[in-house]
Amino acid sequence: MSDKMDADSLQALKIAFTYMPKAIEVTKFEYGDRYEVVLQHIESVRQILEHNGVDPEEVDGEINDDIAPNSCY
């Protein structure tokens, strides 16, 4: 995993990531026996974002900057 993504692909991954459930929302009740697979998928996307120099915690605010709350610091 040494190659970085091109800008368009990285932007598409960021957009898709904003629509993924947050790991804390993934439960066996909601996702059944697939909940562990869903958690693995979320972690895989997070790792690719981090590898490309993107903080997954900041993606939603970047993609949805019109509805993101202002930072207080």
Side-chain angles (χ1 to χ4, degrees), residues 1-48:
M1 188 167 43
S2 61
D3 294 335
K4 303 277 181 163
M5 296 177 77
D6 64 84
D8 289 338
S9 297
L10 185 57
Q11 183 68 10
L13 185 63
K14 288 178 186 180
I15 292 168
F17 185 70
T18 64
Y19 291 95
M20 291 179 76
K22 306 297 180 227
I24 196 167
E25 298 169 340
V26 178
T27 64
K28 190 169 184 173
F29 177 76
E30 289 289 326
Y31 289 87
D33 292 335
R34 290 191 43 81
Y35 81 99
E36 289 177 333
V37 172
V38 174
L39 288 173
Q40 290 171 355
H41 291 167
I42 294 168
E43 184 56 30
S44 294
V45 173
R46 290 178 65 86
Q47 287 176 0
I48 295 297

Side-chain angles (χ1 to χ4, degrees), residues 44-67:
S44 294
V45 173
R46 290 178 65 86
Q47 287 176 0
I48 295 297
L49 289 169
E50 289 172 348
H51 177 73
N52 283 274
V54 176
D55 181 354
E57 300 302 322
E58 301 293 326
V59 170
D60 192 49
E62 177 185 336
I63 297 300
N64 297 308
D65 63 347
D66 59 325
I67 59 172

